[in-house]
Amino acid sequence: MNGRAATVLAVALLAVLSGCAGLSLSVGEETAAAPDVANGTAATVVDVVDGDTIDVRYANGSTDTVRFLGVDTPEVYSDTDPAEYEGVPDTATGAACLESAGEDASAFAERWLAGERVTLVTDPAADRRGSYGRLLAYVHVNASGADGGVTATAGAATNGTATHANGTDFTYRLLATGHARVYDSTFQRSERYYAAEADAQADRRGLWRCRDPGAVATDGDGSDSDGAPADSDGPVVTSATGLTVERVHADAAGNDHDNRNDEFVVFGNDGEGRLELGGWTVSDEADHTYAFPAGFALGVGETVTLRTGSGADTADTLYWGNDSAIWNNGGDAVVVTRDGETVLRYVYR
């Protein structure tokens, strides 16, 4: 057999083998088929389309559009039907509230996922692709494995447990923070997801505030009080400890990310004694967390402004030092904890 014939036969054999294995063979091109993600495959998020859809790039250079499995966030590019969200009134007010919630969900996903390494995990109980050809998968944040190979074991692929290998189940987090509803379909994590949705509904987190026109603020004893718009004169909520939220200024002038020090929360002491706040933490619905400096305290009647950006701390102004905006303009939760226990939870709209 001459050299030319051998080359032709080799190429033909490779083509046959690649077809049998479901692989993509490309000669002189950089494109490649998306890898099998049944047991978890790392990818990089190249675009956050909306709250439940992302575009990713695999290690081999191929790209894919991923629709989060088992959840649904309000639309941002078209109208959302309030009837799809249990308890939300089918009115213009309900639809407008869901539109805002959809924007919040997209911003939440952008903060968590933009440019990040993630692990994609499919579910044998669910369809692999949706009606638009998008991959249906759970998305775990902080994928490991620089080579983009399998990062979640088969045993951990579908039980919903976040591990050192597959990171945080972001799909579940959308439900737990009230940014999504469970999409009524068949998938193995449904029981856990429905439980997270029920908790978010009960606390009126995120989109579930759209069930009624008011927000909910919760103090340390678990009781509820009427919420108020973020920039109302304070205090808007007072905890049993005397700690108050006086004001939330979520919408900074201009671009929030470029003007982070104009995004702030004002805390006060409405109690009868000095409040030692050192070590207490402040967080939002996305679990961004700030810890008050050791030794920091508020006297009776004093206030302190916590600004998102950077600066030199003073007695009445503290700086989070975050490199992007924290508080959602359309609504969020200010949560203060002490030794792991919630002292104050204020949900604004």
Side-chain angles (χ1 to χ4, degrees), residues 23-143:
L23 303 176
S24 174
L25 176 67
S26 56
V27 179
E29 298 178 359
E30 295 182 353
T31 58
D36 182 2
V37 298
N39 290 330
T41 289
T44 299
V45 178
V46 295
D47 185 40
V48 176
V49 179
D50 57 25
D52 56 30
T53 307
I54 55 176
D55 291 332
V56 301
R57 177 177 289 109
Y58 300 108
N60 65 2
S62 63
T63 59
D64 214 345
T65 297
V66 182
R67 176 64 165 79
F68 302 165
L69 179 59
V71 302
D72 182 42
T73 62
E75 301 295 334
V76 292
Y77 301 111
S78 61
D79 294 334
T80 297
D81 183 1
E84 295 179 351
Y85 292 83
E86 182 182 2
V88 176
D90 191 2
T91 62
T93 301
C97 183
L98 286 174
E99 180 181 358
S100 177
E103 294 171 354
D104 286 346
S106 294
F108 182 77
E110 181 80 21
R111 291 182 184 182
W112 268 81
L113 301 178
E116 294 294 325
R117 295 267 293 175
V118 296
T119 300
L120 307 175
V121 183
T122 55
D123 188 328
D127 292 335
R128 186 179 182 82
R129 296 273 171 180
S131 55
Y132 297 102
R134 299 174 296 186
L135 178 69
L136 302 178
Y138 306 114
V139 177
H140 292 191
V141 185
N142 297 329

Side-chain angles (χ1 to χ4, degrees), residues 137-164:
Y138 306 114
V139 177
H140 292 191
V141 185
N142 297 329
S144 59
D147 62 355
V150 173
T151 59
T153 64
T158 56
N159 63 8
T161 302
T163 69
H164 71 281

Side-chain angles (χ1 to χ4, degrees), residues 182-243:
V182 176
Y183 187 76
D184 188 16
S185 56
T186 301
F187 58 100
Q188 291 187 353
R189 299 184 186 181
S190 60
E191 183 176 353
R192 182 169 182 259
Y193 280 19
Y194 274 117
E197 179 190 62
D199 286 344
Q201 289 173 335
D203 287 347
R204 281 181 168 74
R205 298 180 206 141
L207 70 88
W208 302 115
R209 290 192 295 271
C210 298
R211 285 181 160 186
D212 57 54
V216 176
T218 305
D219 63 19
D221 63 5
S223 60
D224 294 340
S225 57
D226 290 337
D231 278 319
S232 294
D233 293 332
V236 293
V237 64
T238 302
S239 75
T241 64
L243 182 69

Side-chain angles (χ1 to χ4, degrees), residues 199-296:
D199 286 344
Q201 289 173 335
D203 287 347
R204 281 181 168 74
R205 298 180 206 141
L207 70 88
W208 302 115
R209 290 192 295 271
C210 298
R211 285 181 160 186
D212 57 54
V216 176
T218 305
D219 63 19
D221 63 5
S223 60
D224 294 340
S225 57
D226 290 337
D231 278 319
S232 294
D233 293 332
V236 293
V237 64
T238 302
S239 75
T241 64
L243 182 69
T244 67
V245 171
E246 300 282 324
R247 183 185 181 195
V248 179
H249 189 252
D251 191 6
N255 186 307
D256 288 6
H257 296 294
D258 295 336
N259 191 17
R260 299 185 299 280
N261 282 341
D262 192 36
E263 182 187 78
F264 57 83
V265 179
V266 180
F267 296 98
N269 180 3
D270 198 31
E272 298 179 355
R274 180 181 174 88
L275 267 180
E276 300 290 342
L277 297 178
W280 292 29
T281 64
V282 180
S283 61
D284 66 345
E285 284 188 322
D287 281 345
H288 298 100
T289 302
Y290 168 85
F292 283 100
F296 185 83

